[in-house]
């Protein structure tokens, strides 16, 4: 079945052809006719399924009739991150190029003045992150009385990031008589409750079961010594034929350190996380897309939805704390039927996170020995899951010749970062993956730069209690010499102080 059967007009079909699409994806085939009928949609679909076009194409169609009034957008799309919002805005350019549709992108980290000027002219589509949208509304720069279509995209991500109160508030400001399209990659009970609240008699469309990893992604688990992770990663990169890769870290502080380490090793690396100015984030992402940067060290801000075609590798420098983030991270590769390779570096401390991931994806991640890297003890296999860990590690891929500039040098090894052993601090030490990806929930702290609010403090800058990780200094293992028992040598603690 082609696009011409879905009820789209000539101008839009022409844009679809220009985009190079011939066959609608399952979500497009199901959602487009329903959206065109004006019905609410509850879509359970991950990025990579063609979800964006499933709502943008019919919206372009419906909005091509009529005109927007000043400051009164006719439709509103809420996205959890600035990058996703920008990507959706590009889709409107692509699919609306043969129409006179106008749009505004309202995200934090960009000039309010420019955004206000565009709004003043009147826009058909407003694509926004929730915090910045409410800021502009409170300043009286946006009137929401004319919004006929509301899209809530990546609802589970919004929930994770603490944006749902903002989304609820925004929904309360919109006219009751409207069409709502609600998309989420997963449908936990809280998301379903929200959907029930926002939607009226929706058509439910589910295109892929949640938490599946693409069959085109080859996954590997590399057990590494926590003190030599950066070296292990460099060895791994050198031994793989990496065209371009995202390297995910849990903590922003580690992103900076690793980025510098890779650069010093002569590798072409950039970095991306929520504390960088938006202009820098956009610039880095564009350079990565153009292939000017080949390695992108990133937080989970890059895990969802980013559409980088032909990404050869994903490296999890840290095992994600939230198992579902693993699915999103490795889903950046192996897209559109292409082959992708995903490697996760795990230390002996990461056992419980690896276990949670293996439970979620329903299979063990096969172990892989990085040529030349220090190996940690293997985590125990997860009960009831096919024991790939029992298989011998995959033979190392043939080593690619390293150019002189790429050769990891001993002095580049990062200084050892002791890790916390205390469970309570452990979570707090990891950067909240649900961090400052877009803008903040209203309840969170204000960002100094853009007046945005953040849902929670980034966990990597909180107080950290440090332990020795899995390293036990040799002197602690030696038997203690007998203590001389002279009366002088015994000093009460209080006195000593
Ligand atoms: P999305 O799930 O919206 O992030 O889309 C993932 C990728 O699929 C994007 O690069 C789209 O350009 C591409 N895409 C969307 N629809 C189609 C289609 N019908 N045929 C081929 N590619 C598509």
């Amino acid at each position: 079945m082609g696009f011409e059967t879905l009820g789209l007009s000539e101008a839009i079909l022409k844009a679809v052809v220009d985009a190079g699409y011939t066959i609608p994806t399952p979500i497009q085939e199901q959602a487009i006719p329903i959206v065109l009928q004006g019905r609410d949609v509850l879509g359970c679909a991950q990025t990579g399924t063609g979800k964006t076009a499933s709502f943008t194409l019919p919206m372009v169609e419906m909005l091509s009739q009529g005109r927007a009034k000043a400051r009164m957008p006719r439709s509103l799309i809420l996205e959890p991150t600035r990058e996703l919002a920008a990507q959706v805005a590009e889709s409107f350019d692509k699919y609306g190029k043969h129409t006179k549709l106008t749009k505004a992108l309202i995200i934090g980290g960009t000039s309010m003045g420019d955004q206000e000027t565009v709004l003043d002219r009147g826009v058909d589509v407003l694509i926004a992150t929730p915090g910045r949208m409410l800021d502009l509304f409170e300043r009286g720069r946006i009137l929401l009385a004319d919004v006929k279509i509301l899209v809530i995209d990546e609802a589970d991500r919004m929930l994770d990031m603490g944006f749902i109160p903002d989304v609820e508030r925004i929904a309360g400001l919109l006219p009751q008589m409207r069409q709502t399209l609600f998309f989420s990659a997963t449908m936990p009970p809280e998301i379903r409750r929200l959907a029930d609240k926002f939607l009226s008699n929706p058509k439910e469309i589910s295109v892929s079961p949640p938490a599946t990893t693409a069959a085109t992604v080859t996954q590997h688990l590399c057990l590494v010594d926590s003190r030599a992770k950066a070296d292990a990663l460099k060895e791994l990169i050198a031994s793989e034929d990496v065209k371009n890769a995202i390297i995910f870290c849990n903590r922003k502080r580690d992103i900076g350190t690793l980025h510098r380490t890779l650069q010093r090793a002569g590798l072409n690396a950039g970095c991306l996380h929520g504390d960088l100015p938006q202009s820098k984030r956009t610039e880095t992402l564009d350079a990565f897309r153009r292939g000017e940067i080949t390695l992108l060290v990133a937080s989970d801000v890059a895990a969802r939805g980013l559409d980088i075609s032909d990404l050869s590798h994903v490296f999890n420098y840290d095992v994600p704390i939230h198992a579902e983030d693993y699915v999103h991270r490795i889903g950046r590769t192996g897209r559109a039927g292409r082959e992708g390779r995903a490697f996760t570096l795990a230390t002996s401390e990461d056992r419980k996170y690896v276990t949670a991931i293996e439970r979620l994806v329903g299979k063990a991640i096969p172990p892989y020995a990085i040529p030349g890297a220090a190996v940690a003890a293997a985590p125990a296999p997860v009960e009831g899951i096919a024991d790939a860990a029992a298989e011998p590690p995959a033979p190392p891929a043939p080593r690619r010749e390293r150019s002189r500039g790429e050769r990891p040098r001993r002095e580049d090894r990062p200084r050892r970062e002791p890790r916390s052993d205390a469970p309570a601090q452990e979570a707090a030490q990891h950067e909240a993956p649900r961090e400052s990806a877009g803008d903040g929930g209203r309840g969170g702290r204000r960002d100094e730069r853009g007046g945005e609010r953040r849902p929670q403090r980034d966990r990597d800058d909180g107080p950290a209690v440090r332990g020795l990780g899995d390293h036990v200094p040799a002197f602690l293992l030696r038997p203690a010499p007998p203590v001389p028992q002279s009366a002088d040598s015994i000093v009460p603690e209080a006195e000593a102080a």
Side-chain angles (χ1 to χ4, degrees), residues 3 16 19-25 27-28 46-55 57 84 87 91 94-95 305-309 332 335-336:
F3 277 95
V16 167
Y21 310 158
T22 46
I23 312 279
T25 65
I27 185 131
Q28 291 163 1
Q46 296 179 356
T47 55
T49 54
K51 170 180 64 121
T52 316
S54 80
F55 61 83
L57 284 170
L84 281 171
Q87 223 167 255
S91 289
K94 185 156 76 175
Y95 307 131
L306 283 193
D307 187 28
I308 313 249
S309 61
R332 298 307 99 219
R335 287 165 82 78

Side-chain angles (χ1 to χ4, degrees), residues 9 21 168 200 209 290 292 329 343 354 411 418 442 489:
S9 65
Y21 310 158
E168 286 182 304
S200 144
R290 288 193 299 267
E292 290 158 20
R329 287 183 182 185
F343 291 86
V354 172
E411 64 271 25
R442 309 290 287 176
S489 68

